[in-house]
């Protein structure tokens, strides 16, 4: 994909200046088929309704970004925390999707 926004991990607006660019999956609502379900004793969960492969876009995970130094406090409150790597975490407990 010869798109500078894609190379910078930024989603393009609609339309992108590069013809054929498909780097606007969130804006165009092109994400994977998932299903929210009741896990029973653990509350609600999310499961895939299709096969995903390495590099596939599943969906956007929205929340507050925290550094690793604040992780113990987040886990103490049993929050929904996603590890992005590089010592950065997203907590979707209060503001999330």
């Amino acid at each position: 994909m010869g798109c500078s926004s894609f190379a910078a991990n930024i989603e393009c607006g609609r339309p992108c200046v590069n013809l054929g660019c498909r780097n606007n999956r969130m804006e165009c609502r092109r994400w994977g088929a998932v299903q929210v379900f009741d896990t029973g004793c653990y509350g609600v969960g999310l499961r895939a309704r299709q096969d995903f492969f390495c590099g596939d876009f599943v969906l956007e995970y929205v929340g507050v970004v925290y550094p690793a130094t604040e992780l113990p406090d987040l886990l103490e409150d049993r929050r929904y925390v996603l590890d992005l790597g590089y010592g950065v975490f997203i907590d979707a407990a209060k503001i999330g999707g």
Side-chain angles (χ1 to χ4, degrees), residues 31-48:
W31 47 70
V34 294
Q35 174 185 21
V36 176
F37 70 102
D38 182 5
T39 65
C41 60
Y42 296 108
V44 236
L46 187 72
R47 65 177 153 217

Side-chain angles (χ1 to χ4, degrees), residues 29-95:
R29 300 181 177 270
R30 288 192 316 262
W31 47 70
V34 294
Q35 174 185 21
V36 176
F37 70 102
D38 182 5
T39 65
C41 60
Y42 296 108
V44 236
L46 187 72
R47 65 177 153 217
R49 295 181 57 214
Q50 70 179 65
D51 291 334
F52 288 99
F53 302 97
C54 182
D56 284 352
F57 180 74
V58 179
L59 55 88
E60 180 182 23
Y61 195 82
V62 181
V64 180
V65 178
Y66 291 101
T69 55
E70 297 183 32
L71 182 62
D73 296 333
L74 297 176
L75 296 180
E76 210 171 271
D77 294 337
R78 294 178 45 115
R79 303 223 182 167
Y80 300 95
V81 178
L82 174 69
D83 182 356
L84 292 176
Y86 309 103
V88 179
F89 297 85
I90 297 180
D91 175 20
K94 293 182 180 177
I95 302 171

